Amino acid sequence: MQTAGITQRPQALSAAGGSHYPVAVIGAGQAGLAISYHLTRLGIDHVVLERQRIGYEWRERRWDSFCLVTPNWQCQLPGWPYHGPDPDGFMGRDEIVAYVAGYAASFGAPVREDTDVTRLRRDPGGTFEIRTSRGDLTAGQVVVATGPYHRARLPRLGSRLPDGIASVHSSQYRSPAALPAGAVLVVGTGQSGGQIAEDLHLAGRQVHLATGSAPRVARRYRGRDVVAWLDEMGHYDRGVDEFEDADALRLRANHYVTGRDGGHDIDLRAFAREGMRLYGRLTGISGTRAGFAPDLARNLDGADAVSEGIKDSIDAFIAGRGIAAPAEARRPPVWQPDREPGELDLAASGISAVVWATGFRREYSWLELPVFDGRGYPVHTRGVTSCPGLYVLGLPWQYTWGSGRFCGVGRDAAHLAEHIRGGAGTGCCADVQVPAPAAAAAGTSAA
């Protein structure tokens, strides 16, 4: 079969009786679809294996009022930039699902939905063997594009909650009305925790919020969205190798902010002034009592310091470039804790539910290849692992700040597509004979 100048073997049956592909992509989120786009442009035969449906993560693991925290103009999947009427707005959950599904349809991504990969290993000859819920197949090269959010992380102390109190992970939260009537304890102040606390607060629920060390960022500063300033300053283009501690950077929590109602700050101090109860880190549950660390003030001050530091860098950029931008006065904190609350009586406070915004765990037990460090993180250099022909894609800070986002995953995907085109994997080298670069197909842009 000839495709865009790349000679490929017809799909053959493996010893296990399944199909063989030059390339298999595991996961059909934005990362898997981005690499599929580039492989399609290069004429490289491949299959994309998706455990659920396209857009499942956005459709089923986000709450009703969820929206992006980055402006729509940053939705720049390769060949599919945002083309709606509100580039400075923030797409809601259903719009995001439509954007991702439309992207897959725009170039006919070869996605097999409802296909759960349960095992990936490599035979002595270098061919990857893939076991799925719908049969086995083999591949010359494999891209693992399953993202970083696999299994909900629930603290063990959650098992100590008294009977009658609902326990809900952030991925299961849908709306205030879906929780039993009463006050709600939200644990965690990353992006999900901050936004869910606001969602409940705006609905008139009494919210108790256990804070963490996540940083925050202003929505707008000196006349523009802060994301626009950071983009112009090149922050989304800086490689992880420019920083001293890449490992710590990759594990850092995202800044909390929101795109809700046109976008605004999430200011926990303002919530407290309006009646939300704030605490330090949750440390334990005994009977009906929850205990907290005395670090509320430190958590609030730390988040503010990051936000102010970002403003400082924007000020320096404006001054250095001589940009005309309106001055903006810095405001003092609107609220300060007068004490460090160490305990909350769940029963006396009428707590009916706890929402755990405590993140996710990586789950790679199905990937039977020695490419992980001691924490279970896949070791790679810009997505290229030490196992020839095996790649990862879509991880936070895989190479830049934008790597796990709509704005940057396409660049990482293009980089890996060139590796794949070069036949770095032993198995793929036998499947794809690569012509001169000029012979590659131009592809179809849906922009």
Side-chain angles (χ1 to χ4, degrees), residues 99-231:
Y99 175 70
V100 173
Y103 182 49
S106 72
F107 62 93
V111 179
R112 289 188 185 178
E113 296 182 313
D114 301 314
T115 303
D116 186 16
V117 174
T118 59
R119 186 178 194 181
L120 173 64
R121 63 181 182 179
R122 203 174 191 212
D123 70 18
T127 298
F128 290 97
E129 299 176 343
I130 306 170
R131 177 165 295 173
T132 82
S133 58
R134 301 181 66 180
D136 298 346
L137 61 139
T138 59
Q141 298 191 79
V142 173
V143 181
V144 176
T146 55
Y149 309 122
H150 301 151
R151 291 186 179 274
R153 177 185 283 124
L154 291 168
R156 291 182 180 179
L157 55 81
S159 63
R160 302 174 188 167
L161 282 174
D163 293 340
I165 295 181
S167 180
V168 179
H169 188 263
S170 60
S171 61
Q172 301 169 312
Y173 172 78
R174 291 295 172 266
S175 69
L179 296 180
V184 181
L185 171 62
V186 178
V187 179
T189 49
Q191 285 187 356
S192 294
Q195 292 176 60
I196 290 172
E198 180 187 51
D199 195 41
L200 292 162
H201 180 66
L202 293 177
R205 302 292 286 268
Q206 176 61 63
V207 178
H208 298 261
L209 179 61
T211 63
S213 59
R216 77 181 187 95
V217 64
R219 177 77 276 167
R220 295 180 178 85
Y221 183 62
R222 299 198 64 175
R224 300 176 72 187
D225 193 295
V226 167
V227 170
W229 283 121
L230 295 176
D231 183 75

Side-chain angles (χ1 to χ4, degrees), residues 12 16 18 25 43 52 60 69 74 123 126 195 286-287 314 322 385 396:
V25 179
Q52 304 286 350
E60 302 297 336
V69 300
Q74 268 210 333
D123 70 18
Q195 292 176 60
S286 178
I314 293 172
T385 75

Side-chain angles (χ1 to χ4, degrees), residues 301-324:
D301 290 345
D304 286 350
V306 172
S307 180
E308 293 303 299
I310 292 172
K311 291 178 180 178
D312 289 342
S313 67
I314 293 172
D315 286 342
F317 177 75
I318 290 172
R321 295 291 185 92
I323 298 172

Side-chain angles (χ1 to χ4, degrees), residues 30 42 52 64 69 101 105 113 152 157 227 231-232 251 268 284 295 301 304 334 363-364 371 382 424:
Q30 60 261 32
L42 293 172
Q52 304 286 350
D64 294 350
V69 300
E113 296 182 313
L157 55 81
V227 170
D231 183 75
E232 186 174 341
L251 297 175
L268 303 186
D295 58 4
D301 290 345
D304 286 350
V334 299
E363 173 52 65
Y364 290 113
V371 294
R382 203 172 175 182

